[in-house]
Amino acid sequence: MDLESRIFQNSNKQKESWRSVLTLAYQSLGVVYGEISTSPLFVYRNTFSEDIGHTDTNEEIFGVLSLVFWTLTLVTLVKYVFIVLRADDNGEGGTFALYSLLCRHARLRSFHNCQLEDEELSEYRSSRCFGADVPERSLNCRVKNTLEKHKFLQGVLLVLALIGTCMVVGVGVLKPAISVFSAVSGLELSVSKEHHRYVEVPAACLILIGLFALQRYGTHRVGFIFAPIVLTWLLCIAAIGIYNIYYWNPHVYKALSPYYVFQFIKKTKTAGWMSLGGILLCITGSEAMFADLGHFSPLSIKIAFTAVVYPCLTLAYMGQAAYFSRHHDIKHEYEFGFYVSVPGKLRWPVVVIAILAAVVGSQSIITGTFSIIKQCSALNCFPRVKVVHTSSKIHGQVYIPEINWLLMLMCLAVTIGFGDIRRLGNASGLAVISVMLVTTCLMSLVIILCWKQNVLLALAFVVFFGTIEAVFFSASIMKFFEGAWVPIVMSVVFLSVMYSWHYGTVKKYELDVQNKVSVNWLLSLGPSLGFVRVGGIGLVHTELVSGIPAIFSHFVTNLPAFHQVLVFLCIKHVPIPHVRPQERFLVGRVGPRNFRIYRCIVRYGYRDIHKDDDEFEKDLVCSIAEFIRTGNSSNEGEKDDHHDVMAVVGTCSSSTHHIIMSDENGTLEHKGQKKKVRFIVPEKQKMESDAMEELKDLMEAREAGVAYIIGHSYMRAKPGSSTLKKLLVNFGYELLRKNSRAPSYVHSVPHASALEVSMMYYV
């Protein structure tokens, strides 16, 4: 709860001081720019691995430099820094952040158990809109209505977001491999060609194993040295670039002219087009600027890139081109590597700095992969996994053991299997450009639906940047059999897993809704309900936001008794990054007041931390007590399947006027198996006698203890179903369900207080 308070205290700052902005800009060097800063290690080498030649006229090397410069300028600087960074989801970035923005502004029901009350959350529509309201008959509204009406288009949009996510995971596998492998490639200049392969691959594998083994400690333990390492590396390659420009070719700046791009394409033709797969590696890491937006402010990321990263990278590429413009007797592709242009006396220190920078760059993409997997899991687009929060102070730093070791195994497999930078570059390039294409497509819709700008502006955006990226994509896909097949295969596997899980989750929820029991069934039982009421609070976990779950009716049919106070508890995630503690709980009654049956919906954002512990249990009971005290509802609660009597209640720590739960001595200490508790009502607050009686019953039930009724639903395809449905349900979803983690509340529930009820659904 303290962490939540810090999150919103930071988000409520209207104006950041320049000192804090510059501090964040410095820190972002280590977290955001480690990946893109190591690109000079392999860009020229991968580009000249194609048969484009290197003649005395220098048209090839100058053309490559011009392409690198303009690609870095147009895609990274213009697209990401000046445009995409503005499309944050309440401070969060990444593919799923864009998708959640579209889901809210276009009312796309891709997430189950959504409610109208969710749209009243403070952050639901607080993202920046740059245009005025548009008329209902405008083209913007037509696009919005088309998306809302056609489920097929909503499915296409979901698959597009999932493809982008899968490619990010692919980058998480390939980028550490190529960064570390390129960093240790400096050894090939000191070892004979016959033996350097046997040194480079084992060295890269050892570094990668160490990198993944350290993930469980979290980046905050070594994060303070990340920024100095990347800054040192950037200044180092910039200094080497300036030296090479001055010493070898001071006129290399002329190659920045777009004229050399056309000359290069005219001369090299097909070979030049194929070499674009190597040139696009100069923008690997651009997506990290947007994905890591939640850790820093947009202004700090822009300052760091425009003032430090962009100039240093430009000087590094110019320096390499200046060196190669005076060296034409190159016979092997590795002679186009970065270390060839480094003065001999500095080579070994630069190798050490490069390895450290590669580790930092790999660290950022690995932690980014953890973050996006957590987001997908929270929104039911990925199987449940164990999420470990590695920092109690820095929000968003997570570690997922299963994903970490899976990434390590795949990373080692591609490193050992390929064993050379060229094929690793081909694979990495396709993954990177695929993510960028997805971002371009989603951004065009954000411009129309969220920013409410002219459709022609969105069309110009997608045509201009989409054409550039499509050309790079076409060059990369042509190298399918030279390594580019790896990200495609990985994406197909991950997409199958994610779509199967999402499909099964949605189907199970639809069956829960179809089989739920109307509140009228409960009311028809009469005032006594016809059941034995035992002491304590019964928490019935369900995903339903209205009605009575079939699992509960199944339970009371076989065992006609339930607790003195019954709470239908729904813990759900909404498509926004964070939910304020003041808006965490939705509380309402089920039936008349004397039934003592409540519904409590607990809402979290896809980046929020949910912990099922004593603090959460205390907040849950306090929220019900506060609901009773304030009299937010009438004496009658839900009478049908609609829940229009739900009231928003914050956590205990979010309000000074909240009811406080304490024991008789003013503390919350355990006394045996029970807790002697009482509610402290704020001063000058008067309550009617019925409310006081209800609070007394809640207090007595809390003292008697809490029991947890946990439902498990299983699915099987009906006999006669299609083969595809059988594969998705019987093998895909059920296999994932059996091998994924149970919901977090299941692990934290005391075994002596848990009661599990199971049901089988046929779809």
Side-chain angles (χ1 to χ4, degrees):
M1 293 304 170
D2 292 336
L3 179 57
E4 288 179 342
S5 301
R6 282 196 291 271
I7 293 168
F8 289 101
Q9 285 172 3
N10 293 335
S11 65
N12 289 333
K13 290 181 180 178
Q14 297 296 323
K15 198 172 184 180
E16 291 180 297
S17 66
W18 277 106
R19 182 176 181 180
S20 63
V21 169
L22 293 177
T23 301
L24 286 174
Y26 170 72
Q27 293 173 346
S28 69
L29 291 174
V31 177
V32 177
Y33 296 112
E35 185 180 357
I36 195 172
S37 66
T38 56
S39 297
L41 289 170
F42 43 78
V43 168
Y44 281 107
R45 179 169 178 170
N46 275 70
T47 302
F48 281 93
S49 64
E50 302 297 330
D51 189 18
I52 59 175
H54 179 40
T55 61
D56 294 339
T57 61
N58 287 323
E59 290 180 337
E60 297 87 359
I61 189 64
F62 287 167
V64 170
L65 172 61
S66 186
L67 275 168
V68 168
F69 173 76
W70 286 107
T71 301
L72 192 66
T73 301
L74 293 176
V75 177
T76 308
L77 184 64
V78 177
K79 176 188 170 182
Y80 278 94
V81 173
F82 292 146
I83 301 176
V84 176
L85 284 182
R86 303 175 75 188
D88 63 293
D89 184 12
N90 295 296
E92 300 295 335
T95 304
F96 246 79
L98 291 177
Y99 180 65
S100 69
L101 269 178
L102 294 172
C103 286
R104 299 203 306 274
H105 284 79
R107 296 179 184 271
L108 305 182
R109 298 298 182 185
S110 297
F111 306 110
H112 61 266
N113 66 20
C114 292
Q115 299 170 270
L116 290 176
E117 287 88 342
D118 297 339
E119 298 182 13
E120 298 174 5
L121 291 167
S122 301
E123 297 197 9
Y124 200 89
R125 291 191 179 273
S126 62
S127 55
R128 291 173 287 181
C129 293
F130 302 101
D133 291 337
V134 293
E136 292 184 2
R137 294 185 179 180
S138 66
L139 198 55
N140 299 60
C141 287
R142 291 179 185 176
V143 173
K144 177 182 176 182
N145 293 334
T146 302
L147 276 174
E148 292 176 350
K149 289 179 181 177
H150 296 85
K151 289 187 176 180
F152 173 76
L153 294 179
Q154 296 179 18
V156 170
L157 201 60
L158 174 63
V159 171
L160 191 64
L162 294 181
I163 290 174
T165 303
C166 294
M167 285 297 180
V168 170
V169 177
V171 175
V173 172
L174 296 165
K175 195 60 175 70
I178 189 174
S179 296
V180 173
F181 199 91
S182 300
V184 301
S185 65
L187 299 174
E188 65 190 358
L189 300 178
S190 304
V191 182
S192 63
K193 187 176 183 298
E194 293 77 15
H195 297 93
H196 77 261
R197 176 182 175 86
Y198 301 102
V199 177
E200 287 179 339
V201 174
C205 289
L206 286 175
I207 294 172
L208 289 170
I209 291 172
L211 173 64
F212 283 100
L214 290 173
Q215 292 302 311
R216 65 189 183 94
Y217 296 106
T219 57
H220 69 286
R221 298 184 185 275
V222 290
F224 67 94
I225 64 171
F226 280 7
I229 289 175
V230 175
L231 182 59
T232 302
W233 166 251
L234 287 170
L235 294 177
C236 176
I237 61 176
I240 293 172
I242 293 172
Y243 168 80
N244 285 330
I245 293 170
Y246 176 79
Y247 189 81
W248 295 109
N249 191 348
H251 301 288
V252 73
Y253 67 90
K254 295 180 180 179
L256 300 181
S257 170
Y259 167 79
Y260 288 93
V261 174
F262 298 107
Q263 286 295 106
F264 173 77
I265 295 173
K266 182 180 178 181
K267 183 175 183 179
T268 58
K269 297 180 181 178
T270 304
W273 169 61
M274 293 290 288
S275 69
L276 294 178
I279 291 171
L280 74 87
L281 293 176
C282 71
I283 53 177
T284 58
S286 300
E287 190 73 23
M289 288 192 296
F290 185 45
D292 291 327
L293 192 58
H295 300 285
F296 306 95
S297 65
L299 181 59
S300 64
I301 291 179
K302 291 177 181 178
I303 290 175
F305 183 79
T306 54
V308 180
V309 180
Y310 181 68
C312 289
L313 289 177
T314 302
L315 288 172
Y317 289 121
M318 290 176 64
Q320 286 181 267
Y323 176 85
F324 293 131
S325 67
R326 293 292 184 263
H327 295 79
H328 300 91
D329 53 340
I330 297 177
K331 300 179 181 179
H332 306 286
E333 67 175 55
Y334 70 86
E335 293 179 338
F336 280 103
F338 169 78
Y339 293 108
V340 177
S341 63
V342 177
K345 295 181 179 180
L346 299 177
R347 192 164 293 159
W348 280 107
V350 171
V351 168
V352 174
I353 299 173
I355 291 174
L356 293 175
V359 169
V360 172
S362 303
Q363 173 71 35
S364 64
I365 189 62
I366 293 169
T367 53
T369 305
F370 293 157
S371 180
I372 199 168
I373 290 293
K374 177 183 176 293
Q375 294 177 23
C376 293
S377 181
L379 297 177
N380 293 310
C381 291
F382 197 85
R384 289 183 294 267
V385 289
K386 181 181 180 181
V387 178
V388 180
H389 298 274
T390 58
S391 175
S392 60
K393 296 180 180 179
I394 304 175
H395 183 71
Q397 289 193 359
V398 296
Y399 165 67
I400 304 176
E402 298 96 326
I403 300 299
N404 181 64
W405 301 123
L406 181 62
L407 289 178
M408 187 191 76
L409 291 176
M410 292 192 294
C411 195
L412 292 175
V414 297
T415 302
I416 297 172
F418 287 154
D420 69 86
I421 297 175
R422 182 175 63 86
R423 286 185 289 179
L424 283 172
N426 294 340
S428 181
L430 182 62
V432 168
I433 201 65
S434 300
V435 177
M436 292 183 174
L437 274 171
V438 170
T439 300
T440 300
C441 295
L442 295 179
M443 268 300 303
S444 63
L445 291 175
V446 168
I447 292 172
I448 297 172
L449 302 178
C450 305
W451 293 356
K452 301 177 183 178
Q453 298 294 320
N454 195 300
V455 174
L456 294 178
L457 183 64
L459 189 62
F461 176 86
V462 75
V463 168
F464 182 75
F465 292 108
T467 301
I468 294 174
E469 292 161 2
V471 171
F472 281 116
F473 181 83
S474 64
S476 296
I477 200 68
M478 292 302 294
K479 300 177 182 179
F480 181 85
F481 295 105
E482 299 176 36
W485 60 270
V486 172
I488 295 177
V489 171
M490 285 193 295
S491 295
V492 169
V493 173
F494 276 99
L495 182 62
S496 301
V497 168
M498 296 171 76
Y499 189 80
S500 297
W501 182 261
H502 181 74
Y503 174 84
T505 304
V506 171
K507 279 295 179 184
K508 189 170 78 70
Y509 180 76
E510 290 176 354
L511 289 170
D512 285 337
V513 173
Q514 293 172 11
N515 292 277
K516 71 180 180 180
V517 180
S518 172
V519 177
N520 294 327
W521 168 79
L522 196 65
L523 296 175
S524 66
L525 300 176
S528 64
L529 294 177
F531 297 106
V532 177
R533 304 294 290 268
V534 297
I537 298 177
L539 291 182
V540 182
H541 287 272
T542 177
E543 292 187 359
L544 295 177
V545 294
S546 65
I548 298 173
I551 284 176
F552 178 72
S553 62
H554 180 64
F555 167 67
V556 296
T557 300
N558 293 277
L559 184 63
F562 58 87
H563 296 81
Q564 175 186 359
V565 174
L566 190 70
V567 181
F568 293 110
L569 177 63
C570 173
I571 301 173
K572 71 173 189 176
H573 288 82
V574 292
I576 59 176
H578 306 288
V579 175
R580 297 176 182 273
Q582 297 89 341
E583 302 171 320
R584 177 77 68 215
F585 294 94
L586 272 177
V587 185
R589 301 184 200 279
V590 179
R593 170 176 279 177
N594 62 335
F595 279 17
R596 303 294 192 260
I597 302 178
Y598 308 92
R599 184 182 309 282
C600 187
I601 300 172
V602 190
R603 301 176 292 184
Y604 290 91
Y606 56 77
R607 287 184 66 90
D608 278 333
I609 301 170
H610 168 55
K611 294 183 179 180
D612 290 279
D613 51 15
D614 290 339
E615 186 72 18
F616 172 75
E617 187 179 298
K618 170 189 169 185
D619 276 334
L620 177 64
V621 177
C622 280
S623 67
I624 298 173
E626 180 70 9
F627 170 78
I628 295 170
R629 178 187 70 82
T630 54
N632 281 305
S633 69
S634 63
N635 188 52
E636 300 297 319
E638 293 184 18
K639 291 188 176 181
D640 53 24
D641 290 345
H642 301 285
H643 47 280
D644 53 349
V645 293
M646 303 291 286
V648 177
V649 182
T651 60
C652 293
S653 57
S654 64
S655 175
T656 57
H657 303 291
H658 209 295
I659 280 184
I660 300 172
M661 188 172 68
S662 177
D663 73 350
E664 294 176 355
N665 298 318
T667 61
L668 273 172
E669 298 177 354
H670 288 267
K671 294 189 176 183
Q673 297 297 321
K674 299 181 180 180
K675 296 177 182 178
K676 296 294 183 181
V677 298
R678 64 189 178 92
F679 294 113
I680 302 176
V681 182
E683 295 181 3
K684 299 181 181 180
Q685 300 278 356
K686 294 183 179 180
M687 290 187 296
E688 57 186 36
S689 59
D690 289 344
M692 289 296 295
E693 186 67 25
E694 195 172 359
L695 272 179
K696 181 181 177 182
D697 290 345
L698 181 62
M699 178 183 65
E700 291 176 354
R702 166 70 177 181
E703 289 181 359
V706 179
Y708 303 84
I709 303 172
I710 301 169
H712 292 289
S713 301
Y714 305 99
M715 290 197 309
R716 300 287 296 177
K718 289 180 180 179
S721 299
S722 64
T723 305
L724 180 60
K725 178 176 280 190
K726 289 180 179 179
L727 286 173
L728 277 175
V729 177
N730 296 352
F731 297 99
Y733 176 74
E734 281 299 308
L735 180 66
L736 293 172
R737 184 192 59 78
K738 291 177 182 177
N739 291 279
S740 63
R741 291 179 64 85
S744 58
Y745 56 79
V746 175
H747 295 283
S748 60
V749 168
H751 294 293
S753 303
L755 180 64
E756 297 188 7
V757 184
S758 301
M759 290 188 68
M760 176 68 75
Y761 289 138
Y762 288 92
V763 294

